[in-house]
Amino acid sequence: MAPVPFHVYLLNICGDREEIPERVINKSGIERTYGHQLFNGRRKPSRDKVIQLAFGFGMNYSEVQELLKVSRKSPLYPKIKRDAVIIYAIENGMKIENVQEILYDLSLPLLGKDE
């Protein structure tokens, strides 16, 4: 059985959560046009963009790990300081803005600044 394309997986999540891509993109802090290109399959996301989308969906830790797996990106690893901050934020239901502030305060790369 062939793996589900990432953009199809995103759309399935939208359907399951009764969410629309526009709202997820807004909550994820991803630029609007780029976000829509991710949802229609024209762009392949970086690991950071996948994590941002997870925040846009309000996912829990296991859902984020599954999203990273489907996108063929490395999972969050708690021994990496930046990943530990992201895991902490996920576990505490923080928004993307809060995560960015913590990363900035700790002099760690911000999410989405890898492109």
Side-chain angles (χ1 to χ4, degrees), residues 28-82:
S28 68
I30 296 174
E31 191 274 321
R32 184 177 175 273
T33 303
Y34 186 91
H36 283 289
Q37 290 172 346
L38 293 174
F39 273 89
N40 65 30
R42 279 189 274 166
R43 304 274 314 243
K44 299 288 182 210
S46 66
R47 182 175 187 260
D48 275 10
K49 293 297 182 215
V50 174
I51 294 168
Q52 285 179 263
L53 286 169
F55 277 101
F57 278 114
M59 293 180 159
N60 64 35
Y61 178 73
S62 61
E63 291 170 330
V64 175
Q65 295 292 58
E66 183 63 24
L67 189 65
L68 286 164
K69 181 180 174 183
V70 170
S71 68
R72 297 184 174 179
K73 306 298 178 199
S74 60
L76 292 171
Y77 186 63
K79 290 190 177 185
I80 298 172
K81 188 175 183 178
R82 183 173 185 253

Side-chain angles (χ1 to χ4, degrees), residues 24 68 99 109:
V24 174
L68 286 164
V99 180

